[in-house]
């Protein structure tokens, strides 16, 4: 802890100097899973990238004390040595614990446990004036609740205490084929009511073919049980495997997936976004080419390439959470307007209001609990022309608001400032900013909004950015920067993978 305290005290002293000079500053984490384009500039930046260690795992109390830049795969590798796992694990191995708290971490166990931040006991933060404080349900509960989802705009998270649950060897996974959108939505909702289930999500491949997927932790496999893994270069991509297993059957299909393989099942191919790289380069997409290029097709490498190539300004990457009652209307809209397949379905338990997470105010029949939401993952190419791309995103925002839904804030956000604050409680948020001396930090609006005019001007100022408009320069540059990062070595050396024996 001594090294941790020294690093945090140095960060706090830097922040205090900016506060005394009334100078704004930004936070550098060292990595990102946002799709917004950002540039690291040393001026007026607080570097917290050294905060990347797991400090303690208490097997008796079932807690983990971790710094904010600890990625999910390192966390899971460490906790599984003690027979424990976090209740909510973000499905991309490189997403960090701090990112899960500051952003919206909703995964296939979130119907049961809520967002990632709901599984924390406390956080340590450096406030905008340099004070080092602890926030929990007992100490500064307004800060503890408000900072989750606030994308770092209320202070710098420097330490998190997570709750853990009992791990088991496998996830008993059932694939339920469905033959319509309405059936898929109803099946997802029905499965969330089953207390024996730990994980629920779904994939829509078309209007006539979808799969609802449930998971149950287990140590036992029957003699006839089928074990399937997804992390090896010769293994199938998860979504392709699920599609193949359910294409010609109406009966549920049961498999047993090693626990960590289940938690990170979407890593290879980044759900299905990785297939777009083959489309971009006009390269064959088959089992051999996926094996050949496996190092480049894990999410860490895909994110590096996405940011370096600037392709996120042409690619729709949006998570859209809304009531179950309006979900089918949104899906039909996306089919007609975007034509993007597959779509991801993930049920979410709401957090209490006010919040910066996706939300709506209707309650369940008991009048107490907020209704669950259904998240729809919409990921695929948008219009090629920049103006048309922006217009399509704006249209999506209007349709989502009409259907009482909200976007996750990691992605491109084109709302005007007034439109943005129609969705969230501005008075509550700005009250927290003032109370905790956060006004020298960029606001949540500053951090998540995309300015199309500024993007166009930046492209004109930089010949390099201008050149990336031309095929295949953007893809080649993105691939080069991804290789240069060395991130592929992380995937190769991960110990969570179920190795062939």
């Amino acid at each position: 802890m001594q090294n941790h305290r020294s690093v945090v005290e140095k960060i706090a002293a830097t922040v205090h100097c900016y506060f005394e000079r009334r100078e704004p500053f930004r936070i550098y984490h060292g990595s990102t899973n946002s799709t917004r384009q950002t540039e690291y500039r040393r001026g007026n930046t607080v570097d917290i990238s050294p905060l990347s260690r797991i400090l303690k795992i208490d097997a008796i109390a079932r807690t983990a004390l971790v710094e904010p830049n600890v990625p999910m795969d390192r966390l899971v590798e460490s906790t599984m040595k003690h027979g424990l796992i976090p209740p909510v694990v973000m499905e991309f191995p490189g997403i960090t614990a701090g990112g899960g708290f500051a952003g919206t971490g909703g995964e296939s166990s979130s119907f049961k446990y809520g967002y990632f931040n709901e599984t924390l006991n406390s956080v340590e933060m450096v406030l905008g004036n340099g004070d080092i404080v602890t926030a929990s349900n007992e100490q500064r509960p307004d800060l503890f609740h408000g900072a989750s989802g606030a994308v770092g705009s209320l202070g710098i998270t420097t330490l998190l205490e997570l709750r853990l649950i009992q791990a088991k060897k496998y996830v008993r996974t059932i694939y339920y084929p469905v033959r319509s959108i309405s059936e898929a939505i109803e099946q997802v909702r029905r499965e969330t009511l089953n207390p024996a289930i730990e994980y629920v999500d779904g994939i829509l491949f078309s209007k006539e073919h979808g799969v609802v997927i449930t998971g149950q932790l287990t140590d036992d496999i029957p003699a006839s049980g089928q074990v399937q893994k997804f992390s090896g270069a010769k293994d199938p991509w998860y979504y392709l495997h699920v599609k193949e297993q359910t294409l010609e059957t109406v009966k549920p299909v049961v498999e047993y997936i090693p626990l960590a393989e289940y938690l990170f099942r979407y890593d290879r191919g980044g759900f299905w976004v990785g297939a777009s790289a083959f489309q971009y380069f006009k390269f064959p997409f088959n089992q051999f080419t996926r094996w050949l290029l496996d190092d480049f097709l894990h999410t860490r490498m895909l994110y590096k390439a996405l940011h370096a190539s600037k392709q996120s300004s042409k690619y729709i990457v949006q998570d859209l959470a809304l009531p179950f009652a309006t979900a089918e209307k949104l899906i039909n809209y996306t089919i007609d307007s975007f034509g993007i397949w597959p779509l991801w379905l993930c049920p979410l338990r709401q957090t209490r209001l006010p919040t910066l997470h996706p939300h709506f105010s209707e309650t369940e029949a008991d009048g107490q609990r907020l209704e669950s939401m259904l998240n729809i993952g919409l990921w695929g190419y948008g219009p090629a022309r920049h103006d048309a791309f922006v217009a399509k995103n704006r249209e999506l925002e209007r349709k989502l608001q009409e259907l009482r839904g909200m976007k996750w804030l990691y992605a491109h956000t084109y709302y005007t400032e007034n439109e943005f604050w129609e969705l969230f409680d501005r008075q509550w948020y700005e009250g927290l900013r003032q109370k905790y001396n956060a006004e020298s930090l960029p606001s949540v609006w500053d951090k998540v909004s995309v300015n199309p005019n500024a993007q166009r001007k930046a492209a004109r100022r930089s010949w390099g950015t201008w050149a990336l408009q031309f095929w295949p320069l953007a893809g080649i540059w993105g691939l080069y920067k991804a290789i240069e990062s060395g991130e592929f070595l992380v995937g190769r050396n991960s110990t969570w993978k179920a190795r062939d024996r």
Side-chain angles (χ1 to χ4, degrees):
M1 284 294 289
Q2 182 58 46
N3 180 268
H4 170 80
R5 281 194 291 270
S6 297
V7 173
V8 173
E9 286 169 1
K10 183 178 178 181
I11 290 168
T14 303
V15 170
H16 182 72
C17 288
Y18 285 129
F19 179 76
E20 287 290 298
R21 297 197 300 264
R22 296 296 186 265
E23 292 181 13
F25 63 90
R26 288 185 175 269
I27 306 162
Y28 176 65
H29 304 272
S31 66
T32 179
N33 281 272
S34 168
T35 59
R36 294 185 301 277
Q37 292 296 147
T38 57
E39 303 292 339
Y40 174 44
R41 300 180 180 89
R42 291 192 179 275
N44 283 37
T45 299
V46 178
D47 183 0
I48 69 165
S49 58
L51 294 175
S52 58
R53 296 171 305 148
I54 298 168
L55 300 185
K56 181 180 180 182
I57 295 173
D58 188 327
I60 303 301
R62 292 190 175 183
T63 59
L65 202 59
V66 305
E67 292 178 329
N69 296 317
V70 171
M72 288 295 103
D73 50 359
R74 300 291 85 84
L75 177 61
V76 166
E77 287 170 351
S78 296
T79 62
M80 284 183 64
K81 292 176 183 177
H82 299 269
L84 301 167
I85 54 167
V88 176
V89 176
M90 279 71 80
E91 283 147 339
F92 290 174
I95 296 178
T96 63
F101 174 71
T104 294
E107 309 299 342
S108 61
S109 61
S110 290
F111 78 95
K112 193 180 190 90
Y113 297 104
Y115 298 116
F116 177 76
N117 61 278
E118 301 281 357
T119 69
L120 303 184
N121 286 333
S122 64
V123 295
E124 175 188 80
M125 296 180 69
V126 175
L127 301 182
N129 64 352
D131 288 351
I132 303 170
V133 302
T134 298
S136 67
N137 285 328
E138 290 74 38
Q139 295 177 274
R140 303 174 186 85
D142 56 347
L143 178 63
F144 184 52
H145 175 69
S148 66
V151 294
S153 64
L154 292 178
I156 303 173
T157 304
T158 53
L159 191 65
L160 307 93
E161 184 180 87
L162 293 75
R163 296 191 295 278
L164 303 172
I165 61 172
Q166 186 67 45
K168 295 190 178 180
K169 293 179 181 178
Y170 302 97
V171 177
R172 181 177 184 266
T173 308
I174 305 179
Y175 309 130
Y176 294 95
V178 292
R179 298 306 176 206
S180 71
I181 295 168
S182 59
E183 184 186 357
I185 294 169
E186 180 53 38
Q187 179 84 14
V188 167
R189 181 147 206 173
R190 185 162 57 247
E191 295 300 337
T192 65
L193 302 177
N194 183 349
I197 299 298
E198 275 96 10
Y199 304 100
V200 179
D201 71 328
I203 305 172
L204 285 175
F205 297 101
S206 69
K207 286 185 177 182
E208 296 77 29
H209 180 202
V211 184
V212 174
I213 306 160
T214 65
Q216 198 171 3
L217 293 167
T218 183
D219 285 323
D220 303 314
I221 301 178
S224 60
Q226 174 70 36
V227 176
Q228 179 65 54
K229 66 187 189 71
F230 300 100
S231 64
K234 294 181 179 179
D235 295 329
W237 284 11
Y238 182 70
Y239 88 97
L240 293 173
H241 176 76
V242 172
K243 183 178 183 179
E244 180 182 316
Q245 291 293 305
T246 58
L247 191 58
E248 296 180 357
T249 183
V250 295
K251 296 181 179 179
V253 177
V254 181
E255 288 184 331
Y256 292 81
I257 305 175
L259 176 54
E261 295 271 336
Y262 173 86
L263 296 175
F264 302 127
R265 64 202 180 281
Y266 290 115
D267 176 43
R268 292 174 63 241
F271 282 88
W272 36 85
V273 170
S276 299
F278 292 83
Q279 180 183 345
Y280 174 86
F281 283 110
K282 300 176 172 55
F283 199 71
F285 181 68
N286 55 48
Q287 186 175 358
F288 173 75
T289 57
R290 291 192 294 274
W291 167 81
L292 180 68
L293 300 172
D294 184 68
D295 274 340
F296 310 110
L297 297 168
H298 295 253
T299 48
R300 280 186 171 96
M301 291 289 281
L302 290 171
Y303 268 110
K304 289 289 184 183
L306 181 71
H307 282 285
S309 67
K310 313 291 188 191
Q311 287 297 293
S312 63
S313 63
K314 299 179 181 179
Y315 205 85
I316 302 290
V317 183
Q318 298 286 351
D319 278 273
L320 314 164
L322 73 170
F324 274 81
T326 60
E328 186 173 1
K329 290 181 180 178
L330 183 68
I331 291 171
N332 285 326
Y333 159 77
T334 66
I335 294 168
D336 295 339
S337 192
F338 292 89
I340 291 174
W341 297 102
L343 300 171
W344 187 51
L345 307 179
C346 183
L348 304 170
R349 193 186 80 188
Q350 286 203 69
T351 192
R352 65 181 176 84
L353 305 180
T355 181
L356 290 166
H357 290 302
H359 62 273
F360 68 105
S361 58
E362 281 84 347
T363 60
E364 300 284 4
D366 61 11
Q368 301 296 317
R369 291 177 297 122
L370 290 167
E371 279 190 24
S372 295
M373 305 183 81
L374 183 63
N375 183 74
I376 298 165
L378 180 70
W379 314 311
Y381 275 112
R385 281 195 315 108
H386 185 69
D387 288 349
F389 180 85
V390 173
K392 211 65 179 170
N393 274 274
R394 293 287 288 140
E395 179 187 293
L396 175 62
E397 290 173 346
R398 289 191 293 270
K399 175 58 71 172
L400 186 60
Q401 190 168 2
E402 174 190 319
L403 297 174
R404 295 180 293 145
M406 301 179 76
K407 300 163 67 168
W408 297 25
L409 297 181
Y410 74 85
H412 286 205
T413 299
Y414 294 91
Y415 301 111
T416 67
E417 188 167 8
N418 286 338
E419 288 171 341
F420 182 83
W421 288 116
E422 287 175 6
L423 301 172
F424 301 102
D425 188 333
R426 186 171 194 169
Q427 183 177 359
W428 162 76
Y429 171 74
E430 291 187 343
L432 289 174
R433 294 259 294 172
Q434 184 176 20
K435 179 177 179 180
Y436 291 106
N437 296 292
E439 291 166 310
S440 55
L441 282 163
S443 72
V444 63
W445 159 251
D446 294 328
K447 297 193 74 168
V448 307
S449 62
V450 174
N451 186 328
N453 293 327
Q455 286 183 326
R456 280 191 291 268
K457 289 178 182 177
R460 286 196 293 266
R461 283 197 303 267
S462 167
W463 71 265
T465 302
W466 173 82
L468 293 181
Q469 299 176 75
F470 300 101
W471 183 88
L473 295 180
I476 293 171
W477 181 248
L479 184 61
Y480 167 72
K481 295 301 287 184
I483 295 171
E484 183 185 51
S485 74
E487 291 280 6
F488 61 92
L489 296 173
V490 179
R492 283 185 186 177
N493 299 324
S494 294
T495 62
W496 61 264
K497 296 181 178 181
R499 309 290 181 181
D500 292 324
R501 295 289 189 264

